Amino acid sequence: MTSSTDLSGLLTSLYQEIRETALLNSCAGILGWDERTYMPKNAAYYRGEQIGLLARLSHEKFTSPQIGEKLNKIEALFKEMNATDISLFDKANVREISRAYLRAVKLPGSFVAELAKTTSEAQGAWQQARAENRFEGFEPWLTKIVKMKREEAQLIGYNEHPYNALLDEYEPGATVSSIRSLFAELRQELVPFLQNIVQSKRKPNTEILTRNYPVQQQELFGKQAAEKIGFDFNSGRLDVTTHPFCSGITPGDCRITTRYNPKFFNEAFFGILHEAGHGIYEQNLPSDHFGLPAGSAISLGIHESQSRLWENQIGRSLPFWQYFFPLAQTAFPEALGDVSLTDWLFAINEVKPSLIRVEADEVTYNLHIILRFELEVAILGQELNVKDIPGIWNEKMKEFFGLTPPSNQLGCLQDIHWSMGGLGYFPTYTLGNLFAAQFMNQFKLENITCEQQWQQGDFASLKKWLVDKIHRFGQQYRSSELCQQITGKDLSHKPFMQYLREKFSKLYDL
């Protein structure tokens, strides 16, 4: 009885401190969201100071000796007690708090503050460098960030490659070797399939996507679609940014963003669906566990599976547009009055090697990720210097896609991730695609009438399935364990390739 009582008190005390840390992080999240949406350009320096201060305070609070002492006592009590007397949520909380604590205590508070300040200012520098097409304007910042991320890897410690220390933050348990193996298997099947599509004589009429799509109507139509698939605008909002993102601030406050192009429909609409997918996950995590691992997303790979599932497997599917295309014709009568559903579906699913990752089709998208993964590993391993990135980037674009970017704006400056210090982040996009295909395959096996529901604009059963199978568990499972639990199999590239073949073989008459 004493052990149980002691444990309850220790857990309550620990959770209170962790939640307070989460509140500090949520304040930084609001500042970060504002920085990328509404903040005046000249506020960048002090915004960096603000975010750096919050990062230091959060780090100091989380790495206090009291947290370590409580974790040690709790873990000792866990060993004394019957495992069945400890809730799965408590087990997950303590396991993941301990893991994060052991990682965080290796990083000095001054280092954490400096990295936060640097990446905050670097985002502004990246935006300007991208707008001016001047890699030289961003190079000093990226050089500093890479140096600091190498230092971070050394402080944390790693096996085999420094990249593993950074990758583990985003996808716990993943390694360079495991990612390389998975990506190699995917690329081996993906490249010849892409070549077959490129050689097909069937081509969509994509001119219909570049007609006049008024921004105001795009926003209304995009919000309508996001709400229909399950994003709650009473607990979220949609704004404009340079590079779309989703911020899960707190339960009841999830911000998604997009960017509008009045002459290209896909850019905003599929960006909204993508970020709404992230947002639906954030909005359906257990709110009573806010700030704790049991109320947090499992990994970025699982997070990305939710966004890519809604964006592509639903948002680019025939059943989705059987419901939404008449609504689109009403919203954009000038652009779509003479367009058939068949032509529209083919156009939005065009497969064509392209320069920009966020606008890439489902077949070529993962090659963009593999390119970035290879560069990041080389940068962290000191096999590639920052100043040489533009040239190597262009060489790999030629190798992978047969394209040479005409500018760095359309090349190595297109993504915000490096300015945010997000080295190790990119592989999770492809992991997300693979998870999404495997999860959707399982959902369809369990819900054979789902496509008829989607044709009627009813996506409730899919959202409920995702909440029941993924969202409600928080970090109770690691991503590999969750995949096994849901599908009975390890993560594989095969369901994704099966999905691509079934879909695009029909479109391109292969």
Side-chain angles (χ1 to χ4, degrees):
M1 185 67 179
T2 303
S3 294
S4 178
T5 303
D6 291 346
L7 178 63
S8 178
L10 283 167
L11 287 173
T12 298
S13 177
L14 175 68
Y15 292 171
Q16 181 178 346
E17 294 201 53
I18 299 302
R19 283 192 171 103
E20 288 177 358
T21 301
L23 286 173
L24 281 173
N25 292 335
S26 72
C27 294
I30 285 286
L31 290 175
W33 167 83
D34 176 72
E35 179 179 35
R36 294 165 64 183
T37 51
Y38 297 107
M39 186 188 80
K41 176 183 175 181
N42 290 341
Y45 175 79
Y46 284 103
R47 181 54 47 88
E49 293 281 312
Q50 292 164 336
I51 290 176
L53 173 61
L54 286 171
R56 179 174 61 79
L57 292 175
S58 172
H59 181 76
E60 289 174 353
K61 186 169 185 61
F62 182 64
T63 58
S64 70
Q66 291 87 343
I67 297 286
E69 291 168 6
K70 289 172 185 175
L71 283 168
N72 288 335
K73 290 177 181 178
I74 290 168
E75 289 169 345
L77 289 173
F78 274 10
K79 292 177 182 178
E80 293 177 11
M81 297 175 63
N82 190 322
T84 57
D85 293 334
I86 306 169
S87 78
L88 294 176
F89 278 134
D90 284 333
K91 289 179 182 177
N93 281 333
V94 173
R95 181 192 71 224
E96 295 302 323
I97 292 170
S98 179
R99 174 182 173 276
Y101 177 80
L102 292 174
R103 181 185 177 97
V105 292
K106 297 175 182 178
L107 302 177
S110 58
F111 175 86
V112 172
E114 179 63 20
L115 181 60
K117 180 177 182 295
T118 298
T119 55
S120 175
E121 294 180 49
Q123 289 174 56
W126 164 78
Q127 283 186 315
Q128 184 171 347
R130 182 176 182 272
E132 297 175 353
N133 187 35
R134 287 186 66 255
F135 182 75
E136 297 80 8
F138 181 52
E139 182 184 336
W141 290 99
L142 183 55
T143 299
K144 183 176 181 180
I145 288 170
V146 168
K147 181 181 178 181
M148 294 190 75
K149 297 306 281 189
R150 285 177 183 152
E151 182 180 354
E152 180 181 331
Q154 293 293 333
L155 289 167
I156 292 170
Y158 57 86
N159 293 319
E160 296 181 0
H161 199 286
Y163 193 76
N164 287 339
L166 308 183
L167 179 61
D168 194 63
E169 179 181 355
Y170 303 113
E171 194 65 30
T175 62
V176 168
S177 59
S178 67
I179 296 293
R180 273 181 175 154
S181 176
L182 190 62
F183 283 9
E185 292 173 348
L186 174 62
R187 188 177 177 183
Q188 185 176 7
E189 291 191 41
L190 191 60
V191 171
F193 182 64
L194 172 60
Q195 290 172 344
N196 289 339
I197 292 175
V198 171
Q199 292 167 6
S200 171
K201 294 181 180 179
R202 279 181 55 84
K203 303 295 179 185
N205 174 22
T206 56
E207 176 273 333
I208 61 180
L209 300 175
T210 59
R211 295 177 178 178
N212 185 37
Y213 293 92
V215 167
Q216 185 176 8
Q217 289 304 108
Q218 284 194 57
E219 181 180 1
L220 292 172
F221 185 63
K223 290 181 73 172
Q224 181 183 17
E227 192 167 32
K228 198 69 176 175
I229 66 173
F231 185 80
D232 181 6
F233 279 98
N234 289 320
S235 298
R237 55 181 292 129
L238 172 65
D239 293 280
V240 178
T241 190
T242 303
H243 191 104
F245 65 96
C246 168
S247 288
I249 309 296
T250 61
D253 189 357
C254 180
R255 318 283 178 99
I256 62 174
T257 62
T258 194
R259 61 187 182 204
Y260 295 99
N261 183 342
K263 292 297 184 180
F264 187 45
F265 175 84
N266 288 15
E267 188 166 346
F269 183 77
F270 292 106
I272 290 172
L273 288 186
H274 181 97
E275 302 306 337
H278 282 304
I280 290 168
Y281 189 7
E282 289 290 327
Q283 290 179 338
N284 288 279
L285 290 164
S287 59
D288 53 339
H289 290 281
F290 165 69
L292 303 176
S296 304
I298 296 171
S299 71
L300 284 186
I302 297 298
H303 224 311
E304 196 62 25
S305 77
Q306 304 306 283
S307 59
R308 300 295 283 180
L309 184 151
W310 286 110
E311 175 193 359
N312 291 325
Q313 302 228 359
I314 295 298
R316 297 181 193 267
S317 71
L318 174 60
F320 179 90
W321 286 104
Q322 284 174 321
Y323 176 79
F324 271 104
F325 191 62
L327 301 178
Q329 288 181 307
T330 301
F332 309 104
E334 179 186 342
L336 299 179
D338 63 345
V339 178
S340 70
L341 173 59
T342 300
D343 288 344
W344 176 255
L345 192 70
F346 197 9
I348 64 170
N349 283 293
E350 179 192 27
V351 174
K352 183 180 180 180
S354 59
L355 297 171
I356 305 298
R357 174 187 64 85
V358 296
E359 297 169 10
D361 57 81
E362 293 181 82
V363 179
T364 62
Y365 182 90
N366 294 297
L367 295 176
H368 286 273
I369 300 305
I370 294 171
L371 181 154
R372 287 155 174 79
F373 168 68
E374 292 182 359
L375 285 179
E376 289 189 343
V377 171
I379 292 168
L380 263 294
Q382 301 190 56
E383 301 162 12
L384 173 64
N385 293 320
V386 169
K387 66 181 177 62
D388 298 323
I389 286 175
I392 299 299
W393 181 289
N394 291 352
E395 288 176 15
K396 285 189 173 290
M397 283 297 298
K398 183 69 174 178
E399 175 191 349
F400 283 31
F401 302 100
L403 302 172
T404 300
S407 67
N408 289 327
Q409 183 184 56
L410 298 174
C412 63
L413 285 175
Q414 65 182 267
D415 295 303
I416 194 173
H417 301 63
W418 291 344
S419 72
M420 296 169 61
L423 282 85
Y425 191 124
F426 277 118
T428 65
Y429 286 115
T430 288
L431 293 178
N433 283 328
L434 304 188
F435 279 125
Q438 202 154 323
F439 293 156
M440 182 61 89
N441 189 52
Q442 185 64 35
F443 173 77
K444 287 183 174 180
L445 289 174
E446 297 176 17
N447 299 267
I448 58 175
T449 64
C450 60
E451 292 193 356
Q452 291 95 307
Q453 296 170 13
W454 300 341
Q455 291 169 12
Q456 304 301 316
D458 182 2
F459 305 96
S461 62
L462 175 56
K463 179 187 172 183
K464 183 179 184 303
W465 189 86
L466 293 171
V467 171
D468 289 344
K469 298 289 186 178
I470 300 172
H471 306 173
R472 71 183 178 92
F473 290 114
Q475 293 181 4
Q476 188 170 316
Y477 305 100
R478 292 281 169 81
S479 58
S480 57
E481 296 172 327
L482 185 75
C483 187
Q484 264 285 350
Q485 178 169 304
I486 294 174
T487 70
K489 298 177 182 178
D490 292 332
L491 179 64
S492 168
H493 72 288
K494 292 179 180 179
F496 179 69
M497 286 305 306
Q498 178 186 353
Y499 159 71
L500 292 184
R501 288 193 179 97
E502 288 178 357
K503 178 175 182 176
F504 291 99
S505 294
K506 293 176 184 176
L507 288 171
Y508 281 88
D509 195 23
L510 301 182

